[in-house]
Amino acid sequence: MLKLSLVCSVFVTLGVQGSMAQKNKSSDEDTLGAYTKIEVKPSVTDNRITAYDLPHVVFYDPKIKNNKVLLWLFGTSGTTDGMPFKFLKTAVNQGYRVVVLSYITEPAVAGVCIGKTLASDKGCPVEYRRKRAYGDNNFSLIPDQPQDAIISRFVKLLAYLAKSDATGQWAQYLDAQGAKPNWSRIAVAGQSQGGGMAEFIGQNENIFRVISFSGGWDYSDAKTKKIAGWYYNSNVTPMANWYATYNVKERATKSISEICVALKIPADHVFALDKPLLSTNSSSDNPYHGDGVHNPAYKQVWLTMLGSGL
């Protein structure tokens, strides 16, 4: 069992039942309460990390061995304070371990690769994606440091868990050198910016599954809404493993549907969502954009995209 370390700011809950839930825990979070929950601040796994240091959150069923990991990536401004619990519970029920990654989600690509910047450099979106995902390129328009990159944070978390949680046997999700994720055992899912990151990683790595909820729309020409060139690059992940959704009433419907075609996602793996909003009280000016990952009316779509995590 993990040891509670106040010095390292690590919080661990094993087998927390709904009746023992914290006062402020939502009923949605209670639905995951029967599973092992681990929270680890990114700075604990790598002391160079200072930005976006809210805890990574992990859920898994310790009775299931050698299953797949679902890596969840938030959209712009998203943090682990606001998780899509119903979708994540569905993933755990399908046999996955869920890793909700805390990573830098601001600024969005749409706030960086715009105007004169984009006009003078059509490759801005792919360089932005590379910097945020891998951190190995020279792109100065976002403040992310190499240790802040999605994959670096993920690897450091897996390595930390491999040492601290013997029950989880986390080393199996790293390569033999412990330097890279064992992508064949990992599905990457995300919403908006996170969905675009899932697509970008799937284009560059052979992962178990790519799942994009309204994946971010990158342009090579923002005025004409011409989508970015990187979407047309060849994909390392086999196309049978790609899935995507978008809502027919969200603002970027046309662009996202064009992106799905450019990425060559099979038509029957793309879901145009059209059910009533889960909440009509949203203050968002684009409320349909995030509905797909929160609305349980789409559970059957979730199940299709997730498949089995065993």
Side-chain angles (χ1 to χ4, degrees), residues 5 23 59 132 134 144 158 165 171 178 233 242 248 262 273 279:
S5 172
K23 290 182 181 178
F59 297 100
R132 186 145 288 175
Y134 289 89
D144 308 40
L158 292 175
D165 181 24
N233 294 342
W242 287 69
V248 297
L273 309 179
S279 173

Side-chain angles (χ1 to χ4, degrees), residues 27-306:
S27 60
D28 285 344
E29 189 172 357
D30 288 342
T31 65
L32 280 162
Y35 300 110
T36 295
K37 178 184 178 182
I38 305 172
E39 296 187 2
V40 184
K41 293 185 72 175
S43 59
V44 172
T45 71
D46 185 338
N47 61 18
R48 298 173 300 167
I49 293 174
T50 58
Y52 276 67
D53 199 29
L54 284 173
H56 304 302
V57 183
V58 176
F59 297 100
Y60 76 101
D61 184 344
K63 298 188 297 294
I64 302 176
K65 308 296 182 183
N66 304 317
N67 47 339
K68 305 295 192 304
V69 165
L70 180 80
L71 173 62
W72 174 256
L73 302 176
F74 288 100
T76 301
S77 301
T79 73
T80 50
D81 279 341
M83 293 181 278
F85 289 107
K86 291 183 174 66
F87 171 72
L88 298 180
K89 179 176 184 289
T90 302
V92 177
N93 288 346
Q94 287 298 103
Y96 285 93
R97 300 173 182 216
V98 168
V99 173
V100 183
L101 198 76
S102 179
Y103 77 101
I104 297 176
T105 60
E106 295 178 321
V109 64
V112 174
C113 300
I114 55 175
K116 293 180 179 179
T117 299
L118 182 60
S120 64
D121 181 9
K122 303 299 184 185
C124 181
V126 72
E127 293 300 318
Y128 168 101
R129 295 282 178 188
R130 184 86 200 180
K131 185 74 170 184
R132 186 145 288 175
Y134 289 89
D136 60 359
N137 58 330
N138 183 19
F139 183 72
S140 62
L141 298 184
I142 54 176
D144 308 40
Q145 299 300 304
Q147 65 269 19
D148 291 319
I150 287 168
I151 293 171
S152 177
R153 287 190 180 217
F154 184 41
V155 167
K156 293 290 187 178
L157 174 60
L158 292 175
Y160 178 87
L161 292 172
K163 292 180 179 179
S164 61
D165 181 24
T167 301
Q169 301 177 354
W170 292 94
Q172 65 184 302
Y173 303 106
L174 290 167
D175 68 5
Q177 291 73 41
K180 297 179 180 180
N182 181 359
W183 290 115
S184 65
R185 311 291 308 283
I186 297 161
V188 185
Q191 195 269 333
S192 194
Q193 179 184 159
M197 289 299 175
E199 292 166 347
F200 186 76
I201 294 169
Q203 193 171 80
N204 289 278
E205 310 288 350
N206 189 351
I207 65 180
F208 177 66
R209 244 175 171 82
V210 176
I211 301 174
S212 174
F213 289 89
S214 298
W217 45 99
D218 300 1
Y219 297 119
S220 60
D221 187 327
K223 290 183 179 180
T224 63
K225 305 298 185 186
K226 182 179 179 181
I227 62 175
W230 73 262
Y231 292 117
Y232 296 93
N233 294 342
S234 58
N235 301 313
V236 176
T237 297
M239 298 319 302
N241 298 346
W242 287 69
Y243 294 84
T245 74
Y246 60 88
N247 196 290
V248 297
K249 292 185 178 180
E250 66 178 292
R251 283 207 307 259
T253 293
K254 184 175 183 294
S255 296
I256 298 172
S257 63
E258 288 177 1
I259 286 166
C260 290
V261 172
L263 287 167
K264 300 181 176 63
I265 302 176
D268 61 346
H269 287 196
V270 178
F271 300 91
L273 309 179
D274 60 0
K275 296 184 183 299
L277 283 173
L278 174 63
S279 173
T280 56
N281 297 321
S282 173
S283 60
S284 169
D285 60 355
N286 192 18
Y288 289 94
H289 179 52
D291 195 58
V293 74
H294 293 284
N295 193 338
Y298 298 118
K299 185 175 181 178
Q300 189 55 54
V301 173
W302 300 346
L303 290 169
T304 300
M305 295 195 297
L306 287 164

